[in-house]
Amino acid sequence: MAASLRLGRQGIYFGLRLSKFNKCLWATQPLQDRVRHFFQSPWMFGVSPLKVEMPALSPTMEEGSIVKWLKKEGEAVAAGDALCEIETDKAVVTMESNDDGVLAKILMEEGSRNVRLGTLIALMVEEGQDWKQVEIPAPDAAAPSAAPPATHAAAPPVVAPNKIVSELRLSPAARHILDTHGLDPKLATPTGPRGLITKEDALNLLKTSPTPKAMPAAVAPAAPSPVPTPAATPPPPPGSRPNIPPLSVPGKPGAPGTFTEVPASNVRRVIAQRLTQSKTTIPHAYASIDCDMAAVMQLRKHLAKEQIKVSVNDFIIKAAAVTLKEMPEVNVTWSGDGPRALDSIHISIAVATDRGLITPIIKDAANKGVQEISANAKALAQKARDGKLLPEEYQGGSFSISNLGMFGISGFSAVINPPQACILAVGTSRAELRLCEEDQTLRPQQLMTVTLSSDGRLVDDELASRFLDKLRANLEQPQRMALA
């Protein structure tokens, strides 16, 4: 007991001496250092945050949109918890937290669009810290530092009038509006960055202009007078169409040339980029063939009696996969150095969603039965419509199928999904009478037109024809697929 009291007194004594020592150090520090230490303390700057940035949720993602926050400010977050839903260039993906802590501040609200990768979207603090006192980082210093040179460049000592005109900065839309209506760009008030005259600035000038001219820009230099007036404008020749401006003043509904800008989703923009890339860089070749689907229809009826429900598209997926297994020279993709043979057969199926077309993948389709393919296709299609596909569920396909038969489309040509070599466009089936070569009698057939779009660098016309012939044999004799 006496020993413990003695140790306690020594601890108190040592603590008092250490406190006095710290005070002495504080007193001996220069005033400047003491002030700096005070202003760098947590009492002045709050709690240091954990940064949450826009991640790359797919290999081709460059920006994303915040769909929904799944956590609220002040709510505890564990590593692996879902933070928010982000719309990528492919689907809506759930972003998970990498750290434990508390969500302190949401910097990008729901509905924020086109957020670049690496952008700060939220702040977290460690457990036990006051999340209300989180320190919000200042914006990057790169943007303000670029402003002074522009300020100095915008205020030269003496500038000739013609040089001022040459330094006017106009957006293409603003230039078109001003040239169309014969307005002087110097009268517009620029509101864009670095003195840019935007489309809205040109429209505001057009609204305030008392008598805008409707002469096209190509006719204005041909006027005989250097300063044309409304009276000097020659009348249009008989029978000519009046010049209607392509853009109209906002606020006048029904005026010619009016339009409504519709914001494009990330998925829609990527679809546009990939389709443009495909049609401009891939030499498309097309070949069509009619397949008699009577045997498949009959087999479906027998399976339905046994409570096995499969669609015609499930048989098409199986037939395409089996045909690729029989002809591996078609199961290729194009890389920068040339053809690349694939070891697996993954069939991409086109699914229409509210955000655009997406192609989930039936993996290893050649080794799956039609019933398993049907179950996988239904599950993936539902996840695609709900925007819940994982990246591995829509990346890495080797062959695509687009079926518009359920919409009554008899036949069409589809655009190749790069880097794949082929896509099969499937139309609806139709009943026709055809002459049987064996006994020269007319027999009813359920014909379906399929069109193969192939990359001419990988699949030439002869190879595409042999592929379609073997695909038709697999569809007209479904028992062949069980033997493949």
Side-chain angles (χ1 to χ4, degrees), residues 53-91:
E53 299 176 343
M54 174 64 72
L57 299 175
S58 75
T60 56
M61 177 180 172
E62 296 181 356
E63 56 187 23
S65 300
I66 307 294
V67 177
K68 182 180 180 182
W69 280 98
L70 305 177
K71 294 288 185 178
K72 299 179 181 179
E73 293 182 358
E75 191 170 351
V77 178
D81 284 357
L83 274 180
C84 62
E85 293 180 351
I86 297 176
E87 181 188 20
T88 70
D89 56 342
K90 295 290 186 180

Side-chain angles (χ1 to χ4, degrees), residues 13-25:
Y13 174 76
F14 178 76
L16 291 175
R17 293 295 302 270
L18 182 61
S19 176
K20 290 180 180 179
F21 178 74
N22 288 336
K23 288 182 180 179
C24 292
L25 285 179

Side-chain angles (χ1 to χ4, degrees), residues 168-186:
L168 285 175
R169 301 179 65 250
L170 290 82
S171 68
R175 186 182 302 278
H176 182 72
I177 296 172
L178 297 176
D179 291 345
T180 301
H181 296 277
L183 298 177
D184 188 355
K186 292 185 292 183

Side-chain angles (χ1 to χ4, degrees), residues 14-16 20 26 49 63 78 94 138 153 173 196 241 247 273 275 285 288 327 330-331 348 361-362 396 419 470 475:
F14 178 76
L16 291 175
K20 290 180 180 179
W26 173 262
E63 56 187 23
T94 300
L196 177 69
R241 299 178 60 185
L247 292 176
Q273 294 171 1
L275 290 180
S288 300
M327 299 181 63
V330 182
N331 191 40
S348 304
I361 298 170
I362 307 293
K470 190 157 289 189
L475 285 173

Side-chain angles (χ1 to χ4, degrees), residues 80-140:
D81 284 357
L83 274 180
C84 62
E85 293 180 351
I86 297 176
E87 181 188 20
T88 70
D89 56 342
K90 295 290 186 180
V92 177
V93 182
T94 300
M95 174 186 173
E96 298 179 351
S97 174
N98 296 325
D99 303 296
D100 296 335
V102 177
L103 182 60
K105 185 66 177 178
I106 295 175
L107 302 178
M108 290 291 175
E109 300 292 338
E110 294 181 0
S112 299
R113 306 185 62 83
N114 308 331
V115 182
R116 301 292 297 180
L117 297 184
T119 302
L120 198 61
I121 61 174
L123 299 174
M124 292 177 54
V125 297
E126 297 179 356
E127 296 179 1
Q129 293 182 327
D130 188 359
W131 61 272
K132 295 182 180 180
Q133 302 298 326
V134 65
E135 175 189 348
I136 301 178
D140 294 338

Side-chain angles (χ1 to χ4, degrees), residues 27-46:
T28 57
Q29 286 180 346
L31 178 61
Q32 183 178 0
D33 292 344
R34 281 184 279 172
V35 171
R36 184 186 302 111
H37 181 271
F38 175 76
F39 279 98
Q40 289 179 349
S41 63
W43 294 278
M44 290 298 299
F45 285 99

Side-chain angles (χ1 to χ4, degrees), residues 314-315 317-319 321-322 325 345-347 361-377 380 481-482 484:
D314 300 328
F315 282 96
I317 295 172
K318 176 65 176 178
V322 169
K325 188 174 182 179
I345 299 175
H346 301 329
I347 304 297
I361 298 170
I362 307 293
K363 295 188 176 181
D364 200 19
N367 297 326
K368 291 181 178 179
V370 177
Q371 188 175 8
E372 186 178 0
I373 289 175
S374 177
N376 290 352
L380 289 171
M481 296 187 285

